[in-house]
Amino acid sequence: MELLVIGCGVSGLTTGLRLLEAGHTVTIWASARPPHTTSNIAAAVWYPYKAYPEDRVTAWGAVAYQRFKALSADAQTGVRMAHALEALGEPSGDPWWVSAVEGFRHAGRDELPAGYVDGYVLDAPVIDTGIYLDYLVRAFEGHGGRIVERTVSDLSEAFAVATTVVNCAGLGARELVGDHDLHPSRGQVIRLKANGFRQVVMDDTGPNAVAYVVPRVNDIVLGGTDDEGNWSTEPDPEVTAGILKRTAALVPWVARLTPDDILNVVCGLRPVRSTVRVEAERLAPERTLIHNYGHGGAGITLSWGCADEVVGLVGS
């Protein structure tokens, strides 16, 4: 089939690539392409953050986990496997997503930052988005895919060129399909020069939430924020100071950083929804719209699993 995908972030590119591999002809329309996408701003470590429902997210995440593990063998992808620790302020059972990952165990007390009483340790894929998104573009175009930079304000424009359209518009789907269940969660992060630190450390629910330290190939990302309903993408110096304070509680060397250690401070808007939307919608006998959006802070974490489901929906 000749298919049109709307969106050129991680969901659009991964979905487009999997559709090409399934034998379809694919064009992507997007107002921006890497490096100018929300996906480029993500930290990004495998973690199903602000994505629901749990059962489908676990299944999608498991598919992506294995794909990222395989990609980590190729340095050109920007993916590597890392030792990750999620520190917890209270004793906890296993997380709902535990079946999707490998190397999982509860942390020993000597592994935890001061003030924490429990934690999860796992082998986690870490994706340097500056490298990885470019890899996806090369793979997509190398399989014959085409990317056109253009804004889509109405679906009739897309259906004028294809009878099946895949909506990977992220937060843009709010206006494109009138989905007001979709809303932003503002995330601000600090990018540091790489310094040899290799462990991912996170606090999602504990005394310093939200805080994370994510070393990647070319930098270290400090985060973060979870400011739902905030549409601003302008960095806030007070928020930057708060991120530095919270992450220093996880890894003490952050307190010794100087301005020369900071590469930049950036903000992105997570596309949060009550549930991730991956489904087919028949708009007319000859018009099918397939949705793949609303991934919250887990667009990369779920990317390959959701893309595979889209391929199945196209085939059916």
Side-chain angles (χ1 to χ4, degrees), residues 188-190 225 235-245 247 262 265:
Q188 181 167 316
V189 298
I190 305 166
T225 61
D236 183 332
E238 291 187 10
V239 172
T240 298
I243 292 171
L244 291 170
K245 181 179 179 180
T247 51
I262 297 176
V265 180

Side-chain angles (χ1 to χ4, degrees), residues 267-284:
C267 295
L269 303 179
R270 305 178 186 94
V272 177
R273 194 174 184 272
S274 59
T275 60
V276 178
R277 191 179 188 190
V278 181
E279 62 182 7
E281 183 180 8
R282 183 63 58 86
L283 301 183

Side-chain angles (χ1 to χ4, degrees), residues 86-307:
E86 180 178 356
L88 303 169
E90 299 179 358
S92 176
D94 293 349
W96 53 266
W97 41 262
V98 64
S99 64
V101 302
E102 298 176 1
F104 179 88
R105 60 179 174 84
H106 282 257
R109 296 298 292 266
D110 60 341
E111 297 177 276
L112 298 171
Y116 292 88
V117 300
D118 197 0
Y120 306 139
V121 174
L122 65 144
D123 299 326
V126 175
I127 297 92
D128 191 322
T129 52
I131 302 171
Y132 180 65
L133 270 294
D134 287 345
Y135 158 77
L136 285 181
V137 169
R138 291 195 306 272
F140 177 77
E141 293 181 331
H143 279 76
R146 190 167 67 101
I147 300 172
V148 177
E149 291 188 58
R150 57 164 292 172
T151 299
V152 182
S153 56
D154 191 285
L155 285 173
S156 62
E157 303 169 32
F159 282 113
V161 299
T163 59
T164 300
V165 175
V166 184
N167 171 20
C168 297
L171 197 56
R174 178 179 170 91
E175 298 304 324
L176 185 64
V177 297
D179 186 350
H180 293 279
D181 183 19
L182 189 64
H183 58 279
S185 167
R186 181 181 184 274
Q188 181 167 316
V189 298
I190 305 166
R191 290 179 58 246
L192 306 177
K193 296 175 183 177
N195 62 11
F197 186 75
R198 301 288 287 177
Q199 184 184 28
V200 175
V201 186
M202 303 177 285
D203 177 355
D204 182 34
T205 60
N208 294 288
V210 175
Y212 48 85
V213 181
V214 182
R216 310 192 301 185
V217 175
N218 291 330
D219 58 19
I220 299 173
V221 178
L222 305 183
T225 61
D226 174 18
D227 191 2
E228 291 209 15
N230 189 337
W231 288 87
S232 173
T233 56
E234 288 298 317
D236 183 332
E238 291 187 10
V239 172
T240 298
I243 292 171
L244 291 170
K245 181 179 179 180
R246 294 194 302 278
T247 51
L250 298 179
V251 287
W253 56 259
V254 170
R256 301 188 294 272
L257 292 174
T258 69
D260 287 342
D261 296 313
I262 297 176
L263 296 171
N264 61 8
V265 180
V266 292
C267 295
L269 303 179
R270 305 178 186 94
V272 177
R273 194 174 184 272
S274 59
T275 60
V276 178
R277 191 179 188 190
V278 181
E279 62 182 7
E281 183 180 8
R282 183 63 58 86
L283 301 183
E286 297 299 325
R287 287 188 175 187
T288 300
L289 179 62
I290 298 176
H291 301 284
N292 181 14
Y293 69 89
H295 303 94
I300 291 174
T301 297
L302 307 181
S303 56
W304 291 100
C306 290

